[in-house]
């Protein structure tokens, strides 16, 4: 049997560790990608935008135990909407702080990478405060956290819609509508079928 062979030779554990570091943290990659591109479009240092977005994202994730371990459920695809929102909010907070001049100013002789690192210091405080307030509000709900709210109210119903005959028909009609106007790649249907 092929499955027994894979397990007995140790190939399964290697492939599973690859899976854990790729698909199992998909939302993390999405957060990084969105923050990098969005920060660049907002004329910010993209790497600083990634740092702020990750701080926002991790601040919004619920802790599983009192020791503070992160629930990896929301690092997977189920946390993707929150990852995107974290990137958008984090970059906008960073832009706000930079436009208002609320940054740590260092002397002229300091290397640029150090300046960029300290430039986001107050933005980091801003996103932690915003995340803390959101966590307090969300903890009072029956869901318990923002990722659980987003998954329960938004993501889960949309996935369910795509798995019905009526939902599939609606997606096909939308795709044909786009095709009429010349937007004709298969991505139109695939975005709804995930």
């Amino acid at each position: 049997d092929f499955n027994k062979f894979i397990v007995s030779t140790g190939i399964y554990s290697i492939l599973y560790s690859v899976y854990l570091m790729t698909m199992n943290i998909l939302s993390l990659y999405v957060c990084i990608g969105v923050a990098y591109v969005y920060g660049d479009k907002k004329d910010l240092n993209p790497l600083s935008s990634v740092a702020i977005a990750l701080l926002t994202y991790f601040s919004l994730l619920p802790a599983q135990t009192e020791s503070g371990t992160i629930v990896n459920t929301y690092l997977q695809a189920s946390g993707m909407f929150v990852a995107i929102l974290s990137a958008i909010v984090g970059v906008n907070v960073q832009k706000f702080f930079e436009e208002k001049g609320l940054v740590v100013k260092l002397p002229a002789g300091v290397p640029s990478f150090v300046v960029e690192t300290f430039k986001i210091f107050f933005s980091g405080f801003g996103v932690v405060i915003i995340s803390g307030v959101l966590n307090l509000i969300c903890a009072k709900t029956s869901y318990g956290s923002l990722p659980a709210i987003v998954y329960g109210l938004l993501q889960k119903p949309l996935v369910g819609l795509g798995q019905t005959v009526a939902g599939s028909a609606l997606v096909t009609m939308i795709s044909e509508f786009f095709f009429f106007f010349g937007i004709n790649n298969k991505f139109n249907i695939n975005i709804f079928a995930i």
Side-chain angles (χ1 to χ4, degrees):
D1 182 52
F2 183 72
N3 290 339
K4 289 179 183 174
F5 170 75
I6 296 260
V7 171
S8 66
T9 58
I11 295 173
Y12 174 80
S13 61
I14 293 169
L15 293 176
Y16 188 67
S17 66
V18 170
Y19 165 78
L20 289 176
M21 290 298 116
T22 54
M23 297 305 292
N24 209 34
I25 56 173
L26 184 64
S27 292
L28 196 59
Y29 296 136
V30 168
C31 184
I32 291 168
V34 170
Y36 189 91
V37 172
Y38 190 51
D40 191 41
K41 291 211 181 279
K42 291 271 196 179
D43 296 322
L44 299 168
N45 180 337
L47 293 177
S48 297
S49 297
V50 168
I52 290 294
L54 288 174
L55 178 62
T56 308
Y57 184 54
F58 283 123
S59 298
L60 291 172
L61 292 179
Q64 186 174 5
T65 64
E66 290 182 17
S67 66
T69 58
I70 295 173
V71 177
N72 70 348
T73 303
Y74 299 115
L75 293 176
Q76 301 166 6
S78 58
M80 198 173 301
F81 281 160
V82 174
I84 294 168
L85 291 173
S86 296
I88 292 169
V89 169
V91 170
N92 282 320
V93 168
Q94 178 188 6
K95 182 71 173 176
F96 173 80
F97 274 80
E98 286 194 20
E99 283 179 346
K100 299 296 180 188
L102 299 170
V103 294
V104 175
K105 294 178 176 63
L106 297 173
V110 177
S112 63
F113 69 91
V114 176
V115 171
E116 288 298 326
T117 303
F118 279 97
K119 199 174 188 182
I120 61 172
F121 191 71
F122 292 125
S123 302
F125 278 128
V127 296
V128 167
I129 290 169
I130 291 169
S131 300
V133 169
L134 279 173
N135 283 336
L136 286 174
I137 293 168
C138 295
K140 302 291 182 192
T141 66
S142 60
Y143 291 98
S145 68
L146 182 65
I149 290 172
V150 171
Y151 182 73
L153 296 180
L154 235 162
Q155 199 165 346
K156 194 174 178 183
L158 287 176
V159 169
L161 176 68
Q163 295 174 344
T164 63
V165 173
S168 297
L170 177 67
V171 168
T172 302
M173 288 189 318
I174 291 170
S175 179
E176 294 302 320
F177 177 76
F178 286 140
F179 183 79
F180 179 77
F181 291 103
I183 303 170
N184 56 2
N185 70 26
K186 289 185 171 262
F187 185 68
N188 297 335
I189 290 179
N190 292 340
I191 61 171
F192 295 103
I194 292 176

